Amino acid sequence: MKTTTRVRRVGIYVRISDDREGGGLGVKRQEDDCRLLAAALGWKVVEVYVDNDVTAADRRKKRKDYIRMLEDVKSGHIDAVISWHPDRLYRQPAELEDLIIIVEEHKTEIASVKAGDLDLSTPTGRLVARMLGAIAKYEVEHKQERIIRKVQELVAAGKIHNSGHRPFGYTRLFDGEGPRRKILGEILNAEEARYVERWADRALEGEKLYSLVLDAHENGVKTTTGGEFTYQAMRALLMSARISGRKEHKGEIKGKAVWPAIISPEKSDALRALLAARSEEHKAEFGERDATALKYPLSGLVRCTCKVPHVVGEPCACKEEGRQHHKMSTGQRGDKDMSIYTCKKEGGGCGGRTIQIPDLEPLVEKLLFARLEEIEVATEEDPADPRPELEAKLVRWEKRKGELEDELLDGDRPAREIQDAIDKLNVRMADARREIAHYSVKANLTEVSAVELRKAWKDYSVPRKQSVYRGLIREILIHPATRPFNVWNPDRIEVFWK
């Protein structure tokens, strides 16, 4: 082994990728062995760098103490490094090359308990280090192949991965103790499952995700990691096929899983299609995600006719023609404390049209209940309901997709031709699910009688009222004021129903 004439200031680097025992016992054993080697070499240990339960196989994951060690080498705080084995220091060839540059520049010695001295200042030493690095890289890639194959096996069987946080709505059953205990199965967590069902139903009624997040906050419901629910967490929960008892991998549903369902697969499909469509539509119109819960029930529906003139009582085909009435914003009257909708000039509007919210809301409420009563009288079962036909098509398309996937495996036809057909079927099925979801929102709302809704209306929160309005109303047009201007004229209001 290489000798030195002076006492080296050594830093010990220890690392273990997977601390199955917990408590850092693996890195402690490495440190003990490294200290014995330092004593044998006559080197003084001045620092210990520990990356416990941290892999070196993935460069995206930062090893904080490894980075700190390199900075101490550069600053001169240490001039030698001891590790239990070279693969504790590096497993990626690119990392080794970075280490070689630093070690050569600062004349740093490297020793290991199991592989002896690594003299990176000589071509032979660098060759040995690179060979060890190539072997370590091979081991990483081979292990990844085994892991991927195991994941594929679990996905095909609908089983639970023995990793990750506990999913919301479920309680896990374990074999053994400690952080690496084996997951035996999952059962429903009754309290959390009730919230999942409640949020799913309210989302299918058209309620915004942000209002569901507020509901979680108001009721003190936390995620399984103990954090507050966010928009992203709520969307991920309701978009997941897991809550319908199905296995999902990389966004694709693979089939029935071994854990119980909280909601039905049909309800889950409608929910996934609705949230996906809502996100796409909102991005197309506004370039960003769903807006936060609003202060007034009619916000977002009230429009001014200043940009696209419209005659009262005539059908409006502006949306179909790609034209839009200007959205009015909320504000306050300048002469008294009164909330209004106003067509703001700075937002591209006319700057002159307003409507008082205390006048508008009671009128639209009255029109809403009248509309629901009309629907009830018209028919109990909508003959124009497209869902039965679309659901029958989905069954046929799913069957055809399965046949095409079998053909793809057989290899009798060109793979590109079969894949194109599968892609077209996927688009058709996605469109059908979106249409079913949109109609389901309206159907869910009209299932509640006008009498029942009128009784419960005063207790509805603003977000719940918004969901009812948005499920039935396309837009509310505000026409120009008529003389006398200081008198409320309900004829200025025109509601277009879905």
Side-chain angles (χ1 to χ4, degrees), residues 203 209 215 257 294 334 340:
L209 291 183
D215 182 68
L294 303 171
I340 60 172

Side-chain angles (χ1 to χ4, degrees), residues 222-494:
K222 306 284 187 181
T223 66
T224 58
T225 58
E228 297 282 359
F229 262 96
T230 62
Y231 174 94
Q232 293 84 355
M234 183 63 70
R235 188 175 191 277
L237 172 66
L238 297 181
M239 284 285 285
S240 172
R242 159 177 270 284
I243 59 176
S244 61
R246 293 179 292 175
K247 185 75 174 180
E248 183 177 6
H249 184 59
K250 295 184 177 179
E252 185 176 348
I253 298 173
K254 297 296 185 179
K256 186 174 174 58
V258 296
W259 54 81
I262 299 175
I263 64 174
S264 69
E266 295 75 21
K267 184 177 285 188
S268 174
D269 288 340
L271 191 56
R272 288 160 63 90
L274 175 67
L275 295 179
R278 185 188 294 174
S279 178
E280 290 170 9
E281 289 169 2
H282 197 273
K283 285 178 182 176
E285 187 172 355
F286 302 105
E288 57 187 39
R289 71 182 184 210
D290 201 5
T292 56
L294 303 171
K295 186 177 179 181
Y296 299 100
L298 300 177
S299 293
L301 294 172
V302 183
R303 309 292 172 109
C304 179
T305 59
C306 60
K307 296 295 182 184
V308 184
H310 177 73
V311 178
V312 178
E314 288 189 2
C316 182
C318 299
K319 190 171 184 180
E320 291 77 5
E321 295 169 1
R323 300 184 296 162
Q324 288 187 344
H325 295 291
H326 193 268
K327 186 180 290 188
M328 298 177 74
S329 308
T330 56
Q332 291 287 321
R333 279 188 57 163
D335 56 344
K336 59 181 175 178
D337 187 18
M338 176 74 72
S339 298
I340 60 172
Y341 286 109
T342 177
C343 189
K344 291 183 178 178
K345 197 166 188 177
E346 57 267 30
C350 61
R353 196 167 307 177
T354 62
I355 194 84
Q356 294 183 164
I357 292 178
D359 292 332
L360 179 64
E361 286 185 355
L363 172 66
V364 178
E365 279 182 20
K366 182 179 177 181
L367 294 174
L368 171 72
F369 294 128
R371 176 68 173 174
L372 285 172
E373 288 167 359
E374 287 175 11
I375 294 172
E376 287 175 10
V377 171
T379 179
E380 288 191 7
E381 187 167 336
D382 186 357
D385 188 344
R387 290 177 295 175
E389 183 182 351
L390 289 170
E391 286 163 358
K393 286 183 178 179
L394 279 173
V395 171
R396 294 198 303 272
W397 290 338
E398 286 282 7
K399 183 180 178 182
R400 179 57 183 151
K401 182 182 175 182
E403 292 170 351
L404 288 169
E405 287 172 345
D406 289 341
E407 286 185 43
L408 195 61
L409 293 173
D410 293 339
D412 295 334
R413 289 172 56 193
R416 183 67 265 168
E417 178 184 324
I418 298 172
Q419 190 58 55
D420 286 345
I422 291 174
D423 292 343
K424 287 177 182 177
L425 274 177
N426 284 334
V427 171
R428 285 183 187 176
M429 289 190 291
D431 289 341
R433 289 192 179 106
R434 275 195 291 270
E435 191 172 345
I436 290 171
H438 280 303
Y439 199 91
S440 295
V441 171
K442 180 180 177 181
N444 289 338
L445 292 172
T446 54
E447 282 174 4
V448 181
S449 72
V451 174
E452 291 172 344
L453 184 62
R454 195 187 297 271
K455 288 179 181 177
W457 190 255
K458 65 178 183 300
D459 297 323
Y460 269 31
S461 64
V462 169
R464 292 208 72 183
K465 289 181 178 180
Q466 287 172 4
S467 69
V468 174
Y469 283 131
R470 289 169 182 268
L472 295 172
I473 296 176
R474 191 179 79 187
E475 62 182 359
I476 301 168
L477 295 187
I478 307 300
H479 292 280
T482 56
R483 294 181 182 275
F485 296 124
N486 61 341
V487 176
W488 161 244
N489 180 9
D491 293 336
R492 293 180 59 203
I493 315 304
E494 190 172 13

